[in-house]
């Protein structure tokens, strides 16, 4: 499931063909993904220029010349593929390993035709259809249902050790759950929460409200570092696999604890443990994380 770094990587992959391009046609091949497409979806996008492509949490936002904003969420399995027409032949359907796996065309649900110096077709593929797209007026971006309750963007100035401390203070839920709650901080999911807690040496079971002082500062720093490292890893993956076939989606990062149950902690060598919290696996080191 894509988290902030994966979505940022997708944004960076799409930006060169989307920013500044005019949408000449949109084909939505179904009435819905996770949710129905908004009314007149294709009509509202046709002939409109995408001025900027930004990211907020796990959402992509295309700022449009029509004073609307195209909001896109990848859900669990969404991915974009870029076909560039100036290529001698389309590079589609030449998968080069798991990372570059192109989706089955029967799951191609949305096709954007783009006109610019780099004319392209951008295809959204989503086998499980947990992704969705929406269009909201530019003036209502911050107050729309997707963002109204969303917490600070972790790599922005709105997020700090103090703001994290405020968000956690008094909370009796486990810190793992508090970090997954997008109202406290945007963009984190199961993977990067596990990784940040490990790096901060904080137990996932600890009460959120007790993660304060030095421990809170360590956690703040760990969140930033884990995300920055993953975005950097995504950037290098992008160079490899977008170059190979134009598919943008996921990358396999070297994790310290995530999905490493039973393997030795990279710090103390004790086996990484797995527990289930709120129905989801948590991976951690019982020795290093307190
Ligand atoms: Zn350890």
């Amino acid at each position: 499931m894509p988290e902030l770094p994966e979505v940022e990587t997708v944004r960076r992959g799409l930006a060169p063909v989307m920013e500044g391009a005019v949408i000449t046609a949109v084909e939505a091949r179904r009435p819905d993904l996770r949710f129905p497409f908004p009314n007149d979806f294709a009509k509202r996008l046709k002939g409109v220029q995408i001025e900027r492509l930004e990211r907020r949490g796990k959402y992509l936002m295309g700022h449009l010349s029509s004073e609307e904003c195209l909001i896109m969420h990848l859900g669990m399995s969404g991915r974009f593929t870029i076909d560039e027409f100036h290529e001698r032949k389309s590079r589609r359907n030449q998968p080069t390993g798991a990372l570059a796996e192109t989706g089955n065309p029967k799951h191609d649900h949305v096709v954007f035709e783009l006109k610019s110096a780099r004319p392209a077709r951008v295809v959204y593929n989503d086998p499980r259809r947990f992704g969705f797209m929406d269009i909201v007026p530019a003036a209502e971006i911050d107050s729309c249902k997707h963002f109204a309750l969303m917490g600070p963007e972790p790599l922005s100035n709105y997020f700090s050790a103090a703001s994290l401390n405020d968000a956690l203070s008094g909370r009796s839920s486990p810190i793992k759950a508090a970090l997954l709650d997008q109202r406290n901080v945007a963009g984190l999911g199961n993977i990067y929460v596990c990784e940040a807690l490990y790096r901060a040496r904080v137990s996932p079971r600890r009460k959120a409200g007790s993660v304060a002082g030095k421990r809170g500062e360590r956690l703040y720093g760990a969140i930033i570092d884990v995300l920055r490292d993953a975005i950097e890893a995504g950037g290098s993956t992008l160079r490899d696999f977008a170059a190979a076939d134009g598919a943008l989606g996921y990358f396999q990062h070297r994790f310290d604890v995530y999905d490493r149950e039973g393997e030795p902690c990279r710090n103390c060598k004790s086996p990484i443990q797995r527990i289930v919290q709120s129905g989801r696996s948590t991976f951690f080191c019982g020795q290093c994380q307190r």
Side-chain angles (χ1 to χ4, degrees):
M1 188 160 177
E3 302 182 23
L4 187 156
E6 288 79 15
V7 179
E8 178 61 22
T9 299
V10 171
R11 189 197 69 77
R12 291 179 184 191
L14 290 175
V17 297
M18 283 193 134
E19 289 189 333
V22 171
I23 303 172
T24 53
V26 179
E27 186 188 350
R29 295 180 175 167
R30 306 176 42 85
D32 59 7
L33 293 169
R34 181 173 182 179
F35 307 116
F37 285 99
N39 290 337
D40 298 327
F41 179 70
K43 209 165 111 190
R44 285 158 77 181
L45 295 174
K46 191 176 174 186
V48 160
Q49 185 177 40
I50 305 168
E51 294 173 339
R52 278 170 299 126
L53 186 66
E54 293 187 333
R55 180 194 51 73
R56 175 83 169 96
K58 303 175 199 172
Y59 293 76
L60 292 169
M61 301 190 299
H63 296 277
L64 308 173
S65 57
S66 54
E67 314 239 313
E68 293 194 298
C69 179
L70 170 63
I71 294 177
M72 301 181 282
H73 193 285
L74 299 170
M76 301 183 77
S77 57
R79 67 186 63 217
F80 286 96
T81 306
I82 301 170
D83 288 334
E84 290 201 62
F85 299 131
H86 65 255
E87 299 291 319
R88 196 164 52 84
K89 75 182 184 40
S90 168
R91 295 181 306 195
R92 194 104 200 279
N93 299 321
Q94 297 172 29
T96 55
L99 287 175
E101 202 177 310
T102 7
N104 181 328
K106 80 173 186 205
H107 302 302
D108 288 351
H109 302 309
V110 187
V111 179
F112 298 95
E113 305 284 352
L114 303 175
K115 189 176 77 181
S116 72
R118 291 176 67 173
R121 173 185 293 141
V122 169
V123 179
Y124 180 71
N125 180 287
D126 188 352
R128 299 184 66 181
R129 301 204 306 267
F130 277 98
F132 58 90
M133 296 189 187
D134 197 3
I135 300 177
V136 302
E140 292 168 23
I141 294 173
D142 291 340
S143 60
C144 77
K145 63 184 173 193
H146 309 293
F147 304 129
L149 297 176
M150 190 178 282
E153 196 60 37
L155 299 178
S156 77
N157 293 334
Y158 295 103
F159 185 62
S160 64
S163 77
L164 180 63
N165 188 67
D166 285 351
L168 301 178
S169 140
R171 299 293 180 91
S172 57
S173 56
I175 184 66
K176 163 91 187 292
L179 293 180
L180 286 176
D181 185 338
Q182 303 294 299
R183 291 171 294 188
N184 292 329
V185 53
L188 296 178
N190 209 34
I191 295 175
Y192 296 104
V193 166
C194 291
E195 294 292 305
L197 287 170
Y198 173 77
R199 211 181 284 207
R201 307 193 305 278
V202 171
S203 167
R205 292 185 280 212
R206 177 176 274 278
K207 278 187 181 163
S210 76
V211 181
K214 287 251 180 304
R215 201 176 254 114
E217 282 174 26
R218 283 207 309 270
L219 181 57
Y220 164 74
I223 291 169
I224 304 285
D225 289 349
V226 157
L227 293 176
R228 283 204 178 126
D229 286 357
I231 289 172
E232 199 174 310
S236 39
T237 314
L238 198 58
R239 283 189 290 278
D240 296 344
F241 80 104
D245 82 339
L248 300 170
Y250 310 94
F251 52 88
Q252 195 62 46
H253 188 43
R254 175 182 181 273
F255 299 123
D256 284 331
V257 286
Y258 184 79
D259 207 18
R260 293 193 66 235
E261 183 182 11
E263 292 176 42
C265 167
R266 301 197 202 280
N267 180 46
C268 75
K269 310 289 182 230
S270 38
I272 298 300
Q273 299 174 41
R274 183 179 76 90
I275 55 173
V276 175
Q277 292 179 292
S278 320
R280 306 187 65 187
S281 289
T282 300
F283 300 89
F284 70 108
C285 175
Q287 294 300 313
C288 294
Q289 293 175 249
R290 297 299 167 109

